[in-house]
């Protein structure tokens, strides 16, 4: 009776239940060639040109496992704290689909490559570990392209360029308890995969695909409810929206006396609803059996150690290092490690400037502000150039205020800070001779305030400093002006 119910539950009803969520994420590995043949694994080639007997599934063709794909899968496994099994095995997952010419997918079943990992997410202010059940390798299917909209003019084309590109499937434990946690998990997972560089994780290109399993149970109940699997989630935001809808739908089904059915549902972006697609197939429907054309996969201790030694620094470690060795605030460290490219940019600025904390302020504030959400690779000012500017502030050669003007001109002209300073005579005036003259001028022009100051109203000093700054057109060093004024007004 579930699928016919369109209504969703009220917030009060939803509040009685606890969602249970587990995610299955497919990530396309960016190997040069496909997982079981030598065809290029690249995108954008004309349809059906990157194909051979193996990935076309022609009779008699034999698969050969791509070492690079295994190494990338191991890197992803280590990055998610999984145990890599020394012995794993491929299995055939049988099903029919027009873009699956073999009639089966080569995947891993009872003996996957890696297991027992975790990913940390923030949940209500605290950190929470979400278990990674397993990571296994498999080949991707081809692509069906549907074209035409009239019944008399409707075609489906099959492009097998994607057939045989390597995927890893990352399966989480049902540890997630809200759509927010699911969103966090996906964000952290994507970040870590991007850091190790085994995939660009571009969801629009299908390099990262997510299926969400969700059930609800009364708060305090021990037993999990029956789950539904939601597919067709094209962005993390849609995944969150789809989960919110599905949670409300399941609560409504139960509250109205019905039972949630185990099924696969599709999220519809246009309506924001999920709809039943098929009743969930069971493992025995796939007739899994060990792949007879491939030997078992053995990962030696030495191989694993070599890969471990070559792992790049992971985001969590980098965050910690930024806090400890640069003295950054937690929040800044978070922002500056969001992607590997941002962290690299920041470290270059910090090194060139010799002042990591000022560098952090400039990268998180002015630079990211100027980017307005665009990628750091499009930064209008190079890390070296920004580093020079920040270095000039650190050395006291220019004030922070002046630096902002110079920064705006750097973006406008592409020139280096020093070039702009020299051209426009913008250097900060700290020379006491030149400043002394200006201070004298201001004292002479403001007898009333000078009198007030001398009679004990010292707050008026700020006004006098401001006057000197004005006279200097903002170029005076405020600290030096302050000192000079005090001395002269004694
Ligand atoms: P299936 O055999 O249906 O594929 P699995 O046990 O392999 O189910 O789990 C698939 C995904 O569903 C995993 O991410 C797991 O965490 C999640 N999952 C399992 N049971 C539940 C449940 N009752 N509610 C929500 N998610 C679940
Ligand atoms: Zn091929
Ligand atoms: Mg499963």
């Amino acid at each position: 009776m579930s699928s016919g119910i369109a209504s969703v539950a009220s917030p009060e009803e939803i509040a009685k239940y606890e969602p249970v969520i587990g995610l299955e994420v497919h990530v396309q590995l960016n190997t040069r060639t496909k997982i079981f043949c030598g065809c290029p694994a690249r995108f954008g080639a004309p349809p059906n040109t990157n194909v051979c007997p193996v990935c076309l599934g022609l009779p008699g063709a034999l698969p050969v496992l791509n070492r690079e794909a295994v190494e990338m899968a191991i890197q992803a496994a280590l990055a998610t704290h999984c145990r890599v099994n020394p012995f794993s095995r491929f299995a055939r997952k049988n099903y029919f689909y027009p873009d699956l010419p073999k009639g089966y997918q080569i995947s891993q079943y009872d003996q996957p490559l890696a297991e027992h990992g975790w990913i940390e997410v923030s949940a209500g202010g605290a950190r929470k570990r979400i278990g990674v059940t397993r990571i296994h390798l498999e080949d991707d299917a081809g692509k069906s392209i549907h074209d035409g909209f009239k019944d008399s003019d409707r075609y489906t084309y099959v492009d097998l360029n994607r057939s045989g590109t390597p995927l890893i499937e990352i399966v989480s434990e049902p540890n997630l308890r809200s759509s927010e946690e699911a969103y966090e998990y996906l964000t952290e997972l994507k970040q870590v995969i991007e850091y190790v560089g085994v995939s660009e994780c571009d969801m629009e290109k299908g390099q990262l695909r997510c299926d969400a399993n969700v059930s609800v149970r009364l708060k305090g109940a021990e037993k999990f409810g029956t789950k539904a699997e939601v597919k067709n989630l094209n962005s993390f935001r849609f995944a969150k929206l789809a989960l919110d809808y599905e949670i409300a739908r399941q609560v409504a089904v139960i509250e109205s006396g019905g039972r949630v059915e185990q099924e696969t549902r599709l999220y519809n972006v246009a309506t924001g609803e999920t709809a039943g697609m098929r009743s969930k197939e069971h493992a025995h429907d796939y007739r899994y059996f060990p792949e007879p054309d491939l030997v078992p996969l053995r990962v030696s201790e030495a191989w694993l150690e070599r890969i471990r030694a070559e792992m790049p620094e992971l985001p969590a470690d980098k965050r910690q290092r930024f806090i400890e060795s640069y003295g950054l605030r937690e929040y800044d460290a978070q922002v500056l490690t969001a992607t590997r490219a941002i962290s690299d940019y920041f470290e270059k600025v910090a090194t060139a400037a010799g002042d990591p904390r000022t560098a952090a302020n400039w990268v998180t504030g002015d630079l990211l502000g100027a980017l307005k959400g665009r990628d750091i690779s499009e930064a209008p000012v190079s890390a070296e150039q920004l580093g020079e500017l920040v270095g000039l502030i650190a050395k006291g050669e220019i004030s922070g205020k002046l630096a902002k003007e110079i920064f705006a001109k750097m973006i406008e002209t592409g020139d280096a800070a020093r070039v702009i300073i020299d051209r426009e005579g913008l250097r900060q005036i700290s020379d006491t001779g030149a400043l002394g003259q200006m201070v004298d001028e201001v004292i002479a022009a403001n007898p009333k305030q000078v009198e007030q100051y001398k009679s004990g109203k010292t707050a008026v000093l700020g006004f006098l400093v401001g006057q000197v700054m004005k006279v200097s057109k903002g170029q005076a060093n405020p600290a030096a002006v302050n000192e000079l004024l005090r001395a002269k007004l004694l």
Side-chain angles (χ1 to χ4, degrees):
M1 79 171 282
S2 70
S3 13
I5 293 176
S7 70
V8 295
S10 68
E12 293 73 33
E13 288 173 317
I14 294 171
K16 294 196 286 182
Y17 290 82
E18 178 181 59
V20 171
I21 301 164
L23 301 176
E24 295 168 286
V25 175
H26 285 89
V27 172
Q28 199 171 63
L29 301 174
N30 57 14
T31 52
R32 275 161 302 159
T33 55
K34 294 184 180 180
I35 185 170
F36 298 122
C37 62
C39 294
R42 260 178 289 108
F43 263 109
N48 299 306
T49 52
N50 291 339
V51 289
C52 74
V54 173
C55 56
L56 287 174
L58 301 187
L62 289 174
V64 177
L65 180 59
N66 178 345
R67 171 180 287 266
E68 194 187 17
V70 178
E71 295 199 349
M72 287 184 172
I74 292 175
Q75 286 182 297
L78 293 176
T80 50
H81 313 95
C82 284
R83 200 183 307 152
V84 176
N85 292 323
F87 182 97
S88 63
R89 201 199 274 276
F90 288 92
R92 284 191 186 179
K93 181 179 183 180
N94 300 280
Y95 59 97
F96 171 78
Y97 215 76
D99 56 22
L100 186 72
K102 297 196 299 300
Y104 57 86
Q105 220 182 339
I106 302 181
S107 183
Q108 295 188 302
Y109 184 52
D110 52 352
Q111 290 173 289
L113 176 68
E115 293 170 281
H116 311 296
W118 51 265
I119 286 174
E120 214 171 57
V121 302
S122 54
R127 301 293 284 175
K128 174 178 169 182
R129 277 187 187 179
I130 307 302
V132 171
T133 314
R134 55 188 275 148
I135 295 183
H136 65 251
L137 272 162
E138 60 188 29
D139 60 358
D140 205 349
K143 223 174 178 169
S144 297
I145 297 148
H146 307 287
D147 192 23
F149 42 89
K150 290 200 305 277
D151 276 346
S152 57
D153 181 29
R154 207 181 264 170
Y155 298 92
T156 292
Y157 303 94
V158 174
D159 178 6
L160 295 173
N161 281 348
R162 198 179 70 178
S163 169
T165 49
L167 298 177
I168 46 174
E169 179 172 345
I170 304 159
V171 182
S172 90
E173 289 289 301
N175 292 156
L176 298 155
R177 291 291 173 270
S178 67
S179 62
E180 288 81 16
E181 284 184 18
Y183 186 93
E184 277 263 335
Y185 171 90
L186 290 169
T187 307
E188 296 280 336
L189 176 63
K190 177 169 184 261
Q191 186 191 39
V192 101
I193 298 288
E194 277 175 345
Y195 256 75
V196 292
V198 300
S199 175
E200 277 81 56
C201 299
D202 187 337
M203 288 187 89
E204 275 172 26
K205 291 187 187 147
Q207 293 166 343
L208 189 152
R209 291 166 240 161
C210 164
D211 302 328
N213 299 272
V214 54
S215 63
V216 297
R217 60 179 172 186
L218 277 171
K219 280 185 178 157
E222 239 170 69
K223 240 181 107 218
F224 285 163
T226 304
K227 72 172 154 62
E229 182 176 359
V230 186
K231 287 186 179 288
N232 205 25
L233 306 171
N234 297 325
S235 75
F236 293 172
R237 201 171 63 82
F238 287 147
K240 185 180 175 303
L241 292 172
L243 281 167
D244 285 335
Y245 175 84
E246 184 57 20
I247 290 163
R249 184 192 70 85
Q250 291 185 10
V251 169
V253 168
I254 297 169
E255 285 285 304
S256 63
R259 267 192 12 216
V260 174
E261 273 172 52
Q262 171 138 342
E263 62 179 348
T264 301
R265 299 179 67 85
L266 280 186
Y267 179 63
N268 183 333
V269 177
T271 61
E273 296 175 0
T274 66
M277 176 173 81
R278 56 167 185 247
S279 74
K280 170 80 185 178
E281 64 286 333
H282 293 278
H284 59 255
D285 297 334
Y286 288 123
R287 290 172 21 252
Y288 276 105
F289 62 85
E291 168 59 60
D293 290 341
L294 286 165
V295 292
L297 173 57
R298 290 176 192 278
V299 179
S300 70
E301 195 54 37
W303 191 16
L304 186 58
E305 277 319 304
R306 211 206 69 222
I307 295 169
R308 199 192 297 277
E310 288 168 4
M311 287 284 284
E313 187 177 31
L314 297 179
D317 299 327
K318 190 164 276 200
R319 229 175 283 146
Q320 205 48 39
R321 181 167 63 81
F322 280 10
I323 292 169
E324 279 163 17
S325 54
Y326 295 144
L328 301 193
R329 287 175 302 157
E330 174 95 42
Y331 176 77
D332 287 342
Q334 187 88 30
V335 173
L336 292 171
T337 54
T339 66
R340 210 164 138 182
I342 290 179
S343 71
D344 288 345
Y345 185 100
F346 160 69
E347 290 212 273
K348 275 191 207 148
V349 176
T351 308
D355 180 350
R357 284 171 73 161
T358 310
N361 285 338
W362 274 80
V363 176
T364 56
D366 303 83
L367 184 84
L368 293 182
L371 275 172
K372 297 191 182 81
R374 279 172 302 153
D375 194 81
I376 189 105
S377 62
E378 293 177 41
V381 171
S382 75
E384 289 74 13
Q385 284 185 327
L386 183 56
E388 185 194 12
L389 179 73
V390 176
L392 292 172
I393 310 169
K395 282 182 242 138
E397 284 190 37
I398 55 172
S399 66
K401 187 159 166 286
L402 203 53
K404 297 212 186 266
E405 273 175 49
I406 297 168
F407 182 67
K409 291 190 171 130
M410 287 167 73
I411 292 178
E412 213 178 281
T413 62
D415 289 333
R418 280 202 190 277
V419 173
I420 293 166
I421 291 169
D422 290 343
R423 185 171 60 219
E424 313 207 358
L426 294 175
R427 201 168 296 279
Q428 175 159 277
I429 308 168
S430 306
D431 167 56
T432 37
L435 285 182
Q437 251 177 357
M438 295 181 204
V439 168
D440 290 342
E441 220 175 282
V442 167
I443 288 175
N446 297 282
K448 210 171 93 207
Q449 284 79 2
V450 169
E451 206 43 55
Q452 286 174 340
Y453 180 83
K454 287 190 171 162
S455 66
K457 283 194 182 164
T458 50
V460 81
L461 190 73
F463 168 79
L464 294 169
V465 172
Q467 292 306 107
V468 179
M469 293 307 292
K470 216 183 238 174
V471 170
S472 76
K473 299 194 176 69
Q475 280 173 253
N477 177 334
V481 172
N482 223 293
E483 214 171 290
L484 268 175
L485 265 170
R486 279 177 202 279
K488 287 186 188 268
L489 292 176
L490 267 181

